[in-house]
Amino acid sequence: MERNVVFIALFAALIAALGLIPRITLASGIPITAQSMGIMLCGTVLGARRGALAVLLFLLLVAIGLPLLAGGRGGLGVFATPWAGFLFGFPVAAFVTGLVVERWRRGNLALIAGVAAVAGGIGALYLVAVPYYMWAKPAGLSEALITAMAPFMPGDLIKAVLAGLITAALAKARPDSLLSRA
Amino acid sequence: MIALTSQIETPYHRLPAGLKLALMCLFTLALFLHDDLRVRLAALGVVVLLHLVPGMRFAREAAGHLKPLWVFVLIIAAWHVATVTMADGLRVILLLLAAVGLANLVTMTTRLDDMIGVVRFLTRPLRGVGLRTQALEVSIALVIRFTPVLAQKGAALVDAWRCRSPRRPGWRIVTPLILLAVDDAERVAEALRARGGVG
């Protein structure tokens, strides 16, 4: 019980910390924030249920007024834009990512976690975020894909690959702490 | 860690948090359902007026919080100019500014402990069906305590990287940061257990 609560809380804090450290610049010069990679890592490391709970806890603290989103944003206002579907999709993304890592046990962990991060952190996330944008703005499908999805796609693919590599490195260093495989 | 609550005392600070949240939800829903241009313009006017009541200093602080919004406004504007649907774009932008502005006003005038009070109130039905919500309150405290700790450890890793490499610190510092977080988590869990657990 205590271990679950503390891991959930510390990963919520980790998502916040990843938004606070200087943004990561890729070799190609595209700056990305590591925050959405934190969502993927919650799934790959904590598993489906705990991962989703960590993200929900993070969003709760953002909603009650802590500036934990990348760039020091927070408060209720961030949930009022048509892009808020990304925030609402974060727990789903972590859940799906965790589910894949929990169920698919044989094979190279870096590959499995990377595929899981693509399925959850991109597939499931956009399945929530794009329809939400279409409903909340309101917008047609092509507009939603161009203004809500396309700008983030390249960064998200890179983050999914990195999430896979980082998960495998963590499993090597602290095999007992990989709760998704416990 | 500094919350987004404004240090400037306003009349809104004294209103109950639950009331402010309920009014905000009603206002946003009503605005979402009425896409008449005049209604939305009036709504934005009301929100601006609410910001001006406590004085210019407060209004400027609020405007600072809303700065990241301009990117979104620009993206929406660009789309509607490109597709020649300017009136629709204006409707959407007015809704966005009014809704986000009001939500930001509630955040700026409600103290963190009042917000946590609302969370406690909303989770009461869960306690009724036998769920123990103490874990939630412990978790909230842990996140507030550990976010600056992890951010500091992250900053130290960035410094250590800069000492050794002329290149910019990249994603490689994320792995040691997670290791530090996981080790902290194991120790804190043990300490909590030793002190009687989280209920």
Side-chain angles (χ1 to χ4, degrees):
Chain A
M1 172 74 178
E2 283 77 21
R3 197 160 174 250
N4 282 342
V5 169
V6 175
F7 264 83
I8 287 167
L10 259 74
F11 268 74
L14 184 72
I15 303 173
L18 286 175
L20 292 173
I21 57 171
R23 46 171 67 195
I24 291 166
T25 307
L26 301 164
S28 59
I30 311 167
I32 53 170
T33 79
Q35 197 146 55
S36 56
M37 192 164 73
I39 307 293
M40 296 170 180
L41 288 166
C42 280
T44 59
V45 177
L46 299 182
R49 265 190 59 229
R50 280 174 294 243
L53 284 173
V55 178
L56 281 173
L57 180 61
F58 170 76
L59 292 178
L60 176 71
L61 285 156
V62 170
I64 64 175
L66 293 171
L68 301 181
L69 286 174
R73 290 175 305 128
L76 294 163
V78 297
F79 295 95
T81 77
W83 282 269
F86 282 99
L87 301 178
F88 299 128
F90 277 167
V92 184
F95 188 89
V96 172
T97 306
L99 203 62
V100 174
V101 177
E102 281 174 9
R103 294 285 157 85
W104 182 9
R105 286 185 175 250
R106 287 222 294 217
N108 180 319
L109 181 61
L111 177 72
I112 293 171
V115 172
V118 171
I122 297 177
L125 181 65
Y126 287 93
L127 269 179
V128 176
V130 171
Y132 184 87
Y133 186 86
M134 290 166 64
W135 172 75
K137 180 169 170 286
L141 182 62
S142 58
E143 179 189 352
L145 292 180
I146 291 171
T147 58
M149 187 172 174
F152 305 107
M153 205 48 155
D156 282 348
L157 270 173
I158 294 162
K159 279 180 252 188
V161 172
L162 294 180
L165 294 173
I166 291 166
T167 305
L170 179 70
K172 207 178 270 176
R174 300 284 186 278
D176 292 337
S177 295
L178 201 71
L179 299 187
S180 56
R181 291 289 178 88
Chain B
M1 189 168 36
I2 299 159
L4 293 166
T5 317
S6 173
Q7 298 300 314
I8 303 166
E9 194 69 29
T10 69
Y12 313 125
H13 279 78
R14 288 191 291 276
L15 294 175
L19 177 71
K20 277 183 277 188
L21 288 167
L23 287 176
M24 180 199 78
C25 291
L26 280 177
F27 178 89
T28 308
L29 187 68
L31 204 55
F32 185 74
L33 295 174
H34 285 86
D35 66 350
D36 188 81
L37 205 57
R38 283 162 304 181
V39 174
R40 290 197 171 171
L41 200 61
L44 180 61
V46 170
V47 171
V48 171
L49 216 64
L50 285 173
H51 277 86
L52 290 173
V53 169
M56 271 319 281
R57 212 155 66 85
F58 179 82
R60 262 199 298 274
E61 189 184 330
H65 284 306
L66 293 175
K67 226 182 258 163
L69 206 56
W70 292 115
V71 183
F72 297 117
V73 172
L74 276 179
I75 295 176
I76 293 175
W79 173 267
H80 285 281
V81 169
T83 56
V84 211
T85 48
M86 266 80 96
D88 285 338
L90 195 59
R91 272 190 202 103
V92 172
I93 289 171
L94 287 173
L95 170 67
L96 179 69
L97 291 176
V100 176
L102 188 68
N104 183 52
L105 184 67
V106 174
T107 293
M108 282 179 70
T109 59
T110 310
R111 266 173 282 274
L112 190 60
D113 32 334
D114 293 337
M115 283 288 192
I116 292 177
V118 173
V119 172
R120 196 171 294 151
F121 175 78
L122 290 176
T123 52
R124 221 161 47 176
L126 297 177
R127 280 195 290 283
V129 297
L131 271 173
R132 285 177 302 191
T133 52
Q134 294 99 313
L136 177 64
E137 293 179 22
V138 172
S139 325
I140 290 177
L142 281 174
V143 180
I144 293 175
R145 182 65 193 90
F146 271 94
T147 298
V149 171
L150 290 180
Q152 206 177 6
K153 288 182 176 180
L157 287 169
V158 170
D159 284 345
W161 174 280
R162 288 207 174 115
C163 288
R164 289 172 285 143
S165 169
R167 287 181 300 150
R168 293 170 62 92
W171 61 275
R172 283 185 183 80
I173 66 159
V174 178
T175 304
L177 184 62
I178 289 203
L179 270 177
L180 290 168
V182 161
D183 288 348
D184 276 349
E186 298 283 10
R187 276 193 294 269
V188 172
E190 203 174 307
L192 267 180
R193 253 195 312 275
R195 284 161 181 78
V198 287

